[in-house]
Each structure stands twice: as structure tokens, then as C-alpha cells.
Amino acid sequence: MLFSISPKTKRSELFDREREMNELKRAVGNDRLIVLDGIVGYLAIFGYEVYKNGPDFETALEKAGVMAKGLVKKEIDDLLARSINYGYALKAVAFGMERYSQIKKYIEANFGSITTLHSAIF
């Protein structure tokens, strides 16, 4: 179970949302409960903010959001510093393209031949 400190021995024991939510509700009873679902690293940031500043969950969530946005911006800026093609590829993925061939076609149709661009990834 996700909220147990005992090691998992099977993949099926990981992240069974329905079972975990039922266990969590049973454990906390009728106490107020805020449930966050999302990227584990961002949830860790939220947990750290609660640990550091106390149980003002709304403020912790806001601070975690600001920190997470900063981390994402830095990661994207680092990618774009390597090659603008990364940015074009991210746009293609944002539009639902999943295959290399789709991404390549999108980039070439919208931004020109990849060979004329800074071709670090293609």
C-alpha cells in the first residue's frame, strides 16, 4: 500500500488509487483532508512547505506552485539553450504528436527544415 512503510513486493501494490484513498479515509476518519494528486516531486515540495511553515495548506500549496513553476521554467530554459529544436518538439507534443515522424513533420512544416536549424536532437 502507498501509505505503508513496508516495502512493496509486487507491482500491483503500487499506486492503486481507489484502495489507497479508502485506506486514507479509514486512517483519518472524519478529520479534514486535502488530497493532492500529481507529480511526486511537486507533492514533495508541498510536503516540505507544510513541514517548514506549519499546516497552512493553502499557503503551502501556493508556495509549492510558485516553486514548481520556477523549476519547470528553468528546465525548459536549459533545454532551449541546447537547441531550439527542443522547444519545437515540446510544442508538437503539446499538440498531441507522439511519434518521432509526426514531431519531425510538424517541425519541418511550421519552422523549416531541421537540417537548417540547430539540429542537436534530430
Side-chain angles (χ1 to χ4, degrees):
M1 140 170 43
L2 181 62
F3 295 103
S4 169
I5 61 170
S6 62
K8 282 48 166 183
T9 58
K10 296 180 275 183
R11 186 175 186 87
S12 62
E13 295 175 332
L14 297 174
F15 299 109
D16 178 348
R17 181 175 170 76
E18 195 63 36
R19 190 176 80 213
E20 299 300 333
M21 291 304 298
N22 289 335
E23 180 64 26
L24 182 61
K25 288 174 187 174
R26 186 191 64 72
V28 298
N30 291 327
D31 291 340
R32 181 173 176 217
L33 177 65
I34 294 177
V35 176
L36 296 176
D37 187 14
I39 299 171
V40 175
Y42 298 152
L43 299 178
I45 293 170
F46 171 76
Y48 173 73
E49 288 296 330
V50 170
Y51 167 78
K52 188 172 81 173
N53 299 310
D56 178 357
F57 298 117
E58 286 80 15
T59 301
L61 188 59
E62 186 178 321
K63 286 183 176 184
V66 168
M67 187 181 290
K69 285 178 188 174
L71 290 171
V72 169
K73 182 177 180 343
K74 182 187 179 321
E75 291 296 323
I76 291 174
D77 288 347
D78 289 349
L79 272 177
L80 296 177
R82 291 179 181 207
S83 171
I84 193 67
N85 286 329
Y86 286 118
Y88 299 147
L90 287 174
K91 279 188 181 207
V93 171
F95 286 121
M97 290 157 222
E98 299 174 348
R99 299 176 114 13
Y100 171 81
S101 60
Q102 294 171 318
I103 294 169
K104 184 175 185 241
K105 267 187 206 170
Y106 171 82
I107 292 172
E108 289 179 338
N110 291 286
F111 305 105
S113 173
I114 290 177
T115 58
T116 64
L117 300 172
H118 311 306
S119 56
I121 63 169
F122 295 105

